[in-house]
Amino acid sequence: MNIMTRTVFKDGIERPENKGVEIHCTCECDNCKQRYEYSKYREHINVQLRNRVIIAVWDENQLKQAMEFAEKWRCKDGSRELPTEYLKFD
């Protein structure tokens, strides 16, 4: 599983009460890897062909649970590109 995190703020207002974490996961199943390898060398194809999920965490107490979910997440159908899933832990 390829996981990246970044700090975000609600409505772009940088205050401690608006602080959250966004977790980006890309699927590493065989089909997603194959589509990514195919597209990597072709400039006209979007290189984000692996299925992905983005999780927003606004409550620090939920961060551990969200990371566990992200580590276990797998796409539903690796044979085709699915829309990005957006989830929220708050």
Side-chain angles (χ1 to χ4, degrees):
M1 183 60 54
N2 185 6
I3 299 176
M4 180 202 74
T5 61
R6 70 180 190 149
T7 302
V8 293
F9 295 93
K10 286 184 183 175
D11 300 323
I13 301 170
E14 202 169 323
R15 292 188 183 152
E17 63 270 14
N18 292 343
K19 188 175 180 179
V21 175
E22 222 174 53
I23 304 168
H24 295 248
C25 307
T26 53
C27 185
E28 294 289 322
C29 74
D30 290 338
N31 286 330
C32 286
K33 283 183 187 177
Q34 184 178 4
R35 278 200 326 275
Y36 176 72
E37 289 299 319
Y38 173 78
S39 67
K40 181 160 75 168
Y41 303 106
R42 290 159 182 83
E43 295 178 13
H44 65 282
I45 297 177
N46 180 3
V47 295
Q48 285 296 329
L49 289 179
R50 292 180 287 185
N51 293 325
R52 55 198 171 275
V53 64
I54 298 174
I55 305 168
V57 182
W58 297 108
D59 181 358
E60 286 185 27
N61 298 325
Q62 297 289 322
L63 186 57
K64 183 178 178 182
Q65 182 182 359
M67 286 299 286
E68 289 173 359
F69 177 85
E71 290 170 2
K72 294 177 183 175
W73 179 83
R74 298 291 179 264
C75 73
K76 294 177 185 167
D77 181 8
S79 64
R80 60 192 177 97
E81 184 178 11
L82 301 172
T84 300
E85 292 183 58
Y86 294 94
L87 306 172
K88 185 166 73 167
F89 281 72
D90 53 343

